[in-house]
Amino acid sequence: MASKKIGEVILDVQNISLSFGGVKALTDISFNVREHEIRAIIGPNGAGKSSMLNCINGVYQPQQGSITFRGQTFKHMNSRQVAEMGVARTFQNLALFKGMSVLDNIMTGRNLQMKTNVFQQAWRFGAAEREETAQREKVERIIDFLEIQAYRKTPVGRLPYGLQKRVDLGRALAMEPQVLLLDEPMAGMNVEEKQDMCRFILDVNDEFGTTIVLIEHDMGVVMDISDRVVVLDYGKKIGDGAPDEVRANEDVIRAYLGTSH
Ligand SMILES: Nc1ncnc2c1ncn2[C@@H]1O[C@H](COP(=O)(O)OP(=O)(O)OP(=O)(O)O)[C@@H](O)[C@H]1O
Ligand SMILES: [Mg+2]
């Protein structure tokens, strides 16, 4: 990790507050993410972690604050715009098409990159056909990278959970993101599946230089692979810094002692 070159701030979250009726999901949250780093967001259940990712990728619109991405500041993000800016996301609860093959699921991540329109695609003439071939080659490369060649034609619903999570990562990677938001990519996995997922996250970060924002409950994993950690509790930020700093933070220890994590 020490050899990794961490760059400028790519994503800057400023004073974000979000509430649902009376529930304050996020209160005045600020933190930044630097290019090429693995930035973890941790905190007990209901702390606001997923809500934070949902603000970044335009699914939720915060009542206050702003988000700056590569120097451009937004009050509200819009999902399509966010994707076009190179931010991709995996979900805490898988959002895959269970009846579709691994290949087709990952292909859905390429939609934004497809330049020809639906009419051309339907006829598969000329440019559209060439483009489809090029897109498939990119998807095949992701399938090789994630070592899921053997399952490329298998309907996703038939795969074990750990592999489904890997396909979800593949769908996000197909967007060729600069920033990848991962919401509990290792939840529900056994030790071996977690090790595999850790390795893929590190490889994505290393080989493609992708900046990663990672929500994860497994403290061993977080302390191992992240460069910096933000800690949320009841929608407030209670810690921010290198893994060692955060681990020694009294407020963080207290928040974690009060929960099952
Ligand atoms: N769409 C919504 N409508 C109403 N309340 C919501 C909504 N989304 C989140 N909340 C509330 O906001 C708070 C933060 O939820 P969030 O899902 O962001 O937490 P989390 O840290 O991701 O928790 P977990 O570790 O369980 O995934 C919770 O009190 C939750 O009930
Ligand atoms: Mg969550």
Side-chain angles (χ1 to χ4, degrees), residues 106-125:
I106 297 179
M107 198 75 180
T108 63
R110 296 291 312 161
N111 285 344
L112 258 185
Q113 273 74 17
M114 297 265 212
K115 296 209 170 47
T116 47
N117 64 33
V118 176
F119 179 77
Q120 286 169 313
Q121 278 172 32
W123 290 90
R124 305 214 165 182
F125 279 172

Side-chain angles (χ1 to χ4, degrees), residues 148-242:
I148 46 180
Q149 301 92 329
Y151 317 105
R152 61 151 74 66
K153 294 276 161 61
T154 310
V156 161
R158 291 217 205 119
L159 294 176
Y161 186 70
L163 282 176
Q164 293 193 22
K165 293 286 254 192
R166 211 186 290 179
V167 175
D168 195 29
L169 175 63
R171 182 197 47 75
L173 287 179
M175 295 169 72
E176 300 184 313
Q178 291 172 6
V179 178
L180 186 55
L181 312 174
L182 303 175
D183 196 346
E184 301 198 25
M186 287 162 245
M189 287 188 172
N190 63 36
V191 174
E192 198 184 330
E193 290 171 330
K194 273 189 191 181
Q195 281 171 350
D196 285 343
M197 184 52 90
C198 258
R199 180 166 55 88
F200 288 120
I201 292 170
L202 285 169
D203 284 352
V204 167
N205 180 245
D206 222 35
E207 290 179 31
F208 310 142
T210 312
T211 306
I212 291 171
V213 182
L214 167 74
I215 296 177
E216 184 47 52
H217 277 301
D218 185 318
M219 280 310 123
V221 168
V222 168
M223 296 299 159
D224 242 24
I225 74 171
S226 47
D227 297 294
R228 291 191 299 159
V229 185
V230 171
V231 193
L232 303 182
D233 189 27
Y234 292 112
K236 298 200 171 110
K237 185 168 100 167
I238 59 167
D240 191 349

Side-chain angles (χ1 to χ4, degrees), residues 20 23 25 43-52 60 92 184 217:
F20 299 99
V23 179
N45 290 118
K49 305 179 298 293
S50 296
S51 298
M52 191 64 246
Y60 289 167
Q92 186 167 356
E184 301 198 25
H217 277 301

Side-chain angles (χ1 to χ4, degrees), residues 97-106 151-156 167:
F97 299 101
K98 302 257 180 194
M100 268 165 55
S101 71
V102 165
L103 185 86
D104 287 340
N105 266 283
I106 297 179
Y151 317 105
R152 61 151 74 66
K153 294 276 161 61
T154 310
V156 161
V167 175

Side-chain angles (χ1 to χ4, degrees), residues 42-57:
I42 67 169
N45 290 118
K49 305 179 298 293
S50 296
S51 298
M52 191 64 246
L53 288 201
N54 280 331
C55 290
I56 295 173
N57 81 339

